[in-house]
Amino acid sequence: MIFTALEHILIHISFSIISIVITIHLMTLLIREVELRNSSEKGMIATFFSITGLLVIRWIYSGHFPLSNLYESLIFLSWSFSIIHMIPKILNHQNDLSTITAPSAIFTQGFATSGLSTEMHQSAILVPALQSKWLMMHVSMMLLSYAALLCGSLLSVALLVITFRKNIDIFCKSNNFLIKSFLFGEIEYLNETRSVFKNTSCFSLQNYYKSQLIQRLDYWSYRVICLGFTFLTIGILSGAVWANEAWGSYWNWDPKETWAFITWTIFVIYSHTRTNQSLQDTNSALVASIGFLIIWICYFGINLLGIGLHSYGSFTLTSN
């Protein structure tokens, strides 16, 4: 009873802190003069410790690592987002991941606490197939990979959006200039030229900041996806060893295994396009954006159907 009360307290604390962090981000976006970056960083660190405490408490009273159902995996996924958030801090880099990690953490926690049936919140005795030392290794690696790949893919989506808008702006400005020059003659053309020169510095500065942002998004997207791809590879290999112990075969082409392989293949293609000079930037970001959808199919889609050998993570939504 005490453990359950502590768990509820910690989940509400972590959810509240993340909500405050997101509010801080919105304030800094709307009011440029307000600088609250340090507060949001401290908030995510506090969230990390709150979720860590929750997982440890659940581990103690359940007697097994808390990764036996979808509720526990979502809480672990939220914890993984908070870890990824702290990577730039550890490396002493500017944190461009906070706008991705904080909303992702609150989304997963919100769905875990409100979207699932209350029965799934309860810890249960592990079924025989899950009573293995490979549970912690395989599932934790897969969830860490999902968190990293989702963050990296979202950064690639942001890169695509900014690049697309930048190209549209340049195209519209150049077309507008040509149309005015053609319609109003040489005098208007000269006036337009003067105004263009006046606005050149502002326009160039805007382009410079956009280019810098695109470079940072590309930098972090590539590195976070590489981290996630490493976790995914370890997770698939450890899962194959576990499958051989449990079912007598390393690979069974189960729906979960098949989509995990498809996810792995997508990010192999991403790595190729990212390292190939002729296919960099938007091409690799497009592949990563496709990977974002594939990850959700692999993680949620298969659980929603509840089919195959990995049906332990299937779930039912709460009824209103």
Side-chain angles (χ1 to χ4, degrees):
M1 191 69 182
I2 297 174
F3 286 123
T4 306
L6 284 172
E7 183 183 337
H8 280 293
I9 290 169
L10 287 171
I11 193 70
H12 284 96
I13 288 173
S14 61
F15 190 84
S16 301
I17 293 171
I18 298 174
S19 301
I20 293 168
V21 168
I22 291 177
T23 305
I24 290 171
H25 279 298
L26 290 174
M27 287 176 64
T28 53
L29 284 173
L30 296 173
I31 309 170
R32 297 296 179 88
E33 291 79 13
V34 176
E35 182 57 48
L36 298 170
R37 183 178 292 272
N38 289 333
S39 300
S40 65
E41 294 292 333
K42 291 175 182 176
M44 285 303 291
I45 293 170
T47 301
F48 166 76
F49 284 112
S50 297
I51 303 175
T52 302
L54 187 154
L55 291 171
V56 169
I57 288 169
R58 199 172 178 90
W59 191 353
I60 291 170
Y61 80 77
S62 66
H64 59 77
F65 196 70
L67 287 174
S68 59
N69 59 26
L70 187 64
Y71 172 76
E72 293 176 345
S73 74
L74 282 167
I75 297 300
F76 190 90
L77 186 65
S78 182
W79 180 77
S80 302
F81 284 128
S82 64
I83 289 179
I84 293 167
H85 174 88
M86 291 189 292
I87 290 174
K89 187 77 173 176
I90 295 168
L91 299 175
N92 292 320
H93 285 289
Q94 182 177 345
N95 196 344
D96 296 311
L97 302 178
S98 57
T99 52
I100 300 295
T101 51
S104 299
I106 199 170
F107 170 78
T108 51
Q109 275 201 45
F111 185 80
T113 54
S114 305
L116 301 179
S117 62
T118 53
E119 288 78 10
M120 288 205 68
H121 295 188
Q122 307 301 319
S123 181
I125 299 172
L126 291 177
V127 297
L130 295 179
Q131 294 175 6
S132 171
K133 61 181 181 294
W134 290 103
L135 172 67
M136 181 176 176
M137 176 69 175
H138 169 63
V139 184
S140 62
M141 287 295 104
M142 292 301 292
L143 289 173
L144 282 167
S145 74
Y146 291 158
L149 293 174
L150 286 171
C151 285
S153 298
L154 282 172
L155 290 172
S156 293
V157 172
L159 187 152
L160 282 176
V161 171
I162 293 169
T163 303
F164 179 75
R165 287 191 62 183
K166 180 183 175 184
N167 292 338
I168 289 292
D169 289 343
I170 293 171
F171 178 76
C172 289
K173 283 180 182 294
S174 61
N175 273 6
N176 189 39
F177 178 74
L178 289 172
I179 290 168
K180 285 185 177 181
S181 301
F182 179 76
L183 290 176
F184 297 107
E186 190 172 349
I187 295 173
E188 286 78 5
Y189 174 81
L190 292 173
N191 290 333
E192 182 72 21
T193 304
R194 291 191 195 98
S195 66
V196 167
F197 278 119
K198 287 179 183 178
N199 295 326
T200 297
S201 58
C202 180
F203 184 63
S204 299
L205 191 62
Q206 213 172 25
N207 275 340
Y208 172 76
Y209 283 127
K210 282 186 178 180
S211 298
Q212 290 294 308
L213 179 59
I214 288 170
Q215 286 179 13
R216 291 206 311 271
L217 288 172
D218 184 58
Y219 174 88
W220 281 114
S221 174
Y222 177 62
R223 277 150 185 78
V224 174
I225 286 176
C226 285
L227 179 66
F229 181 76
T230 303
F231 287 143
L232 182 64
T233 304
I234 296 170
I236 290 174
L237 291 175
S238 59
V241 176
W242 187 10
N244 186 55
E245 285 187 6
W247 304 316
S249 174
Y250 287 101
W251 198 265
N252 299 283
W253 291 108
D254 179 72
K256 196 81 167 181
E257 294 175 352
T258 303
W259 280 99
F261 178 72
I262 292 171
T263 304
W264 187 85
T265 304
I266 286 291
F267 286 101
V268 167
I269 296 169
Y270 168 83
S271 299
H272 171 70
T273 55
R274 182 59 179 71
T275 53
N276 191 325
Q277 292 293 331
S278 61
L279 298 173
Q280 274 188 8
D281 299 332
T282 54
N283 291 297
S284 59
L286 184 61
V287 174
S289 303
I290 295 169
F292 178 79
L293 299 175
I294 299 297
I295 294 165
W296 281 117
I297 293 172
C298 181
Y299 180 49
F300 258 138
I302 304 302
N303 290 339
L304 184 62
L305 294 173
I307 57 175
L309 298 170
H310 292 77
S311 58
Y312 319 110
S314 60
F315 66 96
T316 53
L317 298 175
T318 55
S319 56
N320 296 321

